[in-house]
Amino acid sequence: MAGARQRLRIDATAAISVTDLFTIGIGPSSSHTVGPMRAARMFMESLPSQPERISCELFGSLALTGRGHATDKAILLGLSGERPETVDPDAVEILVDRIRSFHALTFGDWTIPFEGDRDLLFRMGEFLDEHSNGMRFTAWLGDGREISRDYFSVGGGAVLAGEAMGSDGPIGHNIVQPFPFSSAAEMLAQGEETGLSIATLVMRNEAAWRTRAETEAFLDRVADAMSASIDRGLRQEGILPGGLKVRRRAKTIHARLRAGQEGMQPAAVFEWVSLFALAVNEENAAGGRVVTAPTNGAAGVIPAVLAYYRKFVPGADREGERTILLTAAAIGFLYKKRASISAAEMGCQGEVGVACSMAAAGLAAVLGGTNQQVENAAEIGMEHNLGLTCDPIGGLVQIPCIERNTMGAVKAINAAYLALQGDGRHIVSLDAVIETMRQTGEDMATRYKETSLGGLAVNVVEC
């Protein structure tokens, strides 16, 4: 079954944009919250007329850890026409409670009966062949027709419809980029031939979709949203939802670090970096607004490294932030094309590991690294995350996920500086480490891939 579920991986020949890799949405999970919300809305938009009834069945990892990842709420929101990019995080509970109280949902002018126990089903232990994160929506129309469609949340909030894979394939096949690359070797060759940095290659490729000014505006919105998620996380306190009684720590740690700024200890920089990541992932766990980068479970790594650049690197500016994001995106493209960023397929090496690799590359680039040093930084970032499992306690994106982002951010900075100490020559290539990650993910037992059936999830008693 594991082999069959690899079919929906992104085609290596398809073009991917930075807007596909970085999206602004809500927590706690890109694959279990953002993706299902998008899929539910897609299904509603596909219907030819108002249905008399709708149901959704969740399979695989979505069933096993869906309640802890708020998948049920995401489905209700998507069926009601909400988008992860625009839904108000503070209004989510109100919207969901209204559906449950009135036993009906509203989509535009349609009002449709909806009984949660009957119409939203968690198919525990059942998997659809194409992917571990499967959903099946069914609508019964007034004329007697029954429409059923499968959707798959393949990581990072991306959604693929089952029937689409047999026809035109993934989005991106009709896009012609001036400097396409599907491997790190091709990326480096493009840079060598043109004399362009990795960030510039990506920016030139983005012109296939939009103007440079529009891409820069998008990148600035992403950077600002990352900063805002840190700022809000630093202001909040209390207990995170879900039942584990995990207390927010970012506000308290922030106050302590600010009080001790005048006599900064040698480790203070890394304490700040850890704080930045902690703040973001506490926000994510609470269902707040974060940037999928490249997933929600790893949403704190790149923002923390970006904040490190702003706070501790002299001369930091907007152009530098764009360089970090563009370079990180280039690395993210490779993981999406050659492996996966879905923890349900790869374990957490596909989330925090990929985010660490992306962030390391971005930081190395903005610090003046050559393309070869940047590729080396990305390779180091992943090499030391290989085999990282996804075993969230209670199916919640809290333990070990929140702290794991702090480790990923610190490791990314270490990887960048280590790569900058060399000349770019190294034995293990980025392509080799991505392939190793893919093989490791396929060999990894299902219980360690976002199912909460192994690891910490079964060895720690829930409080």
Side-chain angles (χ1 to χ4, degrees):
M1 183 179 292
R5 289 201 295 271
Q6 305 306 315
R7 290 186 222 157
L8 286 185
R9 184 165 298 129
I10 300 295
D11 192 316
T13 63
I16 307 175
S17 169
V18 293
T19 60
D20 298 319
L21 202 66
F22 298 124
T23 57
I24 301 171
I26 62 170
S29 171
S30 50
S31 59
H32 287 57
T33 311
V34 176
M37 193 187 306
R38 287 178 175 156
R41 182 185 169 96
M42 288 167 61
F43 178 69
M44 294 298 287
E45 291 176 335
S46 74
L47 297 178
S49 61
Q50 178 175 342
E52 294 185 341
R53 179 189 162 197
I54 286 177
S55 76
C56 175
E57 299 169 83
L58 301 173
F59 297 89
S61 177
L62 294 182
L64 291 166
T65 63
R67 287 188 172 88
H69 287 68
T71 306
D72 49 349
K73 297 177 183 178
I75 293 293
L76 295 180
L77 293 170
L79 291 176
S80 301
E82 296 289 345
R83 302 176 187 271
E85 298 86 350
T86 56
V87 66
D88 180 0
D90 295 327
V92 166
E93 293 302 327
I94 297 172
L95 294 170
V96 170
D97 287 345
R98 184 181 301 155
I99 295 169
R100 290 171 173 167
S101 298
F102 289 96
H103 307 284
L105 54 85
T106 301
F107 181 84
D109 296 331
W110 300 349
T111 299
I112 307 154
F114 194 89
E115 299 287 345
D117 293 341
R118 178 193 69 179
D119 298 325
L120 184 53
L121 304 174
F122 291 76
R123 300 298 190 188
M124 296 293 189
E126 297 183 37
F127 290 80
L128 298 180
D129 285 341
E130 294 87 344
H131 195 276
S132 298
N133 291 332
M135 295 160 275
R136 177 167 293 154
F137 294 93
T138 304
W140 290 265
L141 305 185
D143 59 8
R145 281 184 294 167
E146 180 179 317
I147 298 176
S148 183
R149 292 193 174 96
D150 293 348
Y151 295 86
F152 302 90
S153 182
V154 296
V159 174
L160 296 176
E163 67 271 14
M165 296 309 297
S167 53
D168 297 330
I171 293 172
H173 276 290
N174 296 324
I175 297 296
V176 179
Q177 297 174 313
F179 305 108
F181 55 86
S182 297
S183 69
E186 291 176 0
M187 178 182 71
L188 291 176
Q190 291 278 22
E192 185 72 22
E193 182 178 340
T194 62
L196 300 176
S197 68
I198 292 170
T200 303
L201 288 173
V202 175
M203 179 62 85
R204 299 278 181 89
N205 283 340
E206 291 299 306
W209 285 278
R210 71 196 76 81
T211 67
R212 180 186 181 94
E214 289 172 324
T215 297
E216 289 179 343
F218 170 78
L219 294 171
D220 292 347
R221 286 196 300 274
V222 167
D224 290 344
M226 287 180 171
S227 180
S229 66
I230 292 174
D231 292 342
R232 191 171 193 277
L234 295 178
R235 294 194 303 269
Q236 306 303 309
E237 54 189 346
I239 305 295
L240 292 172
L244 288 182
K245 299 179 181 179
V246 174
R247 184 174 296 277
R248 285 181 181 254
R249 291 175 285 170
K251 183 176 181 179
T252 300
I253 296 173
H254 187 217
R256 289 175 182 166
L257 287 178
R258 290 182 65 186
Q261 265 190 305
E262 290 186 5
M264 286 183 69
Q265 298 300 310
V269 170
F270 293 112
E271 289 187 82
W272 278 101
V273 172
S274 294
L275 170 64
F276 299 144
L278 194 77
V280 174
N281 283 86
E282 287 181 349
E283 270 300 285
N284 180 62
R289 191 169 303 287
V290 297
V291 177
T292 301
T295 66
N296 281 33
V301 176
I302 294 176
V305 173
L306 199 64
Y308 165 82
Y309 166 71
R310 288 196 196 104
K311 187 175 179 66
F312 296 107
V313 176
D317 57 15
R318 272 292 198 193
E319 192 56 39
E321 293 176 1
R322 294 168 188 160
T323 295
I324 291 175
L325 292 175
L326 288 167
T327 308
I331 304 305
F333 297 159
L334 300 179
Y335 283 99
K336 288 196 73 168
K337 290 182 175 187
R338 304 183 71 82
S340 171
I341 60 170
S342 168
E345 286 191 290
M346 295 289 115
C348 199
Q349 60 174 356
E351 294 206 22
V352 168
V354 172
C356 177
S357 183
M358 292 168 63
L363 183 59
V366 80
L367 294 177
T370 65
N371 287 351
Q372 289 73 21
Q373 289 172 318
V374 168
E375 184 260 0
N376 190 13
E379 181 274 323
I380 295 171
M382 174 52 74
E383 185 177 344
H384 304 289
N385 278 294
L386 288 174
L388 194 60
T389 61
C390 181
D391 51 354
I393 297 176
L396 298 165
V397 192
Q398 296 179 18
I399 302 173
C401 319
I402 295 173
E403 289 181 356
R404 188 166 284 173
N405 275 257
T406 72
M407 301 297 138
V410 170
K411 192 177 291 186
I413 295 171
N414 189 20
Y417 281 104
L418 188 59
L420 292 174
Q421 292 299 321
D423 60 6
R425 290 178 292 183
H426 53 109
I427 294 174
V428 180
S429 69
L430 177 57
D431 286 333
V433 86
I434 292 174
E435 175 59 17
T436 302
M437 186 200 83
R438 186 192 66 78
Q439 293 175 6
T440 303
E442 292 188 356
D443 291 341
M444 192 181 292
T446 299
R447 64 181 179 273
Y448 297 121
K449 295 192 285 190
E450 209 169 10
T451 58
S452 288
L453 297 176
L456 289 176
V458 298
N459 287 305
V460 176
V461 178
E462 295 180 33
C463 301

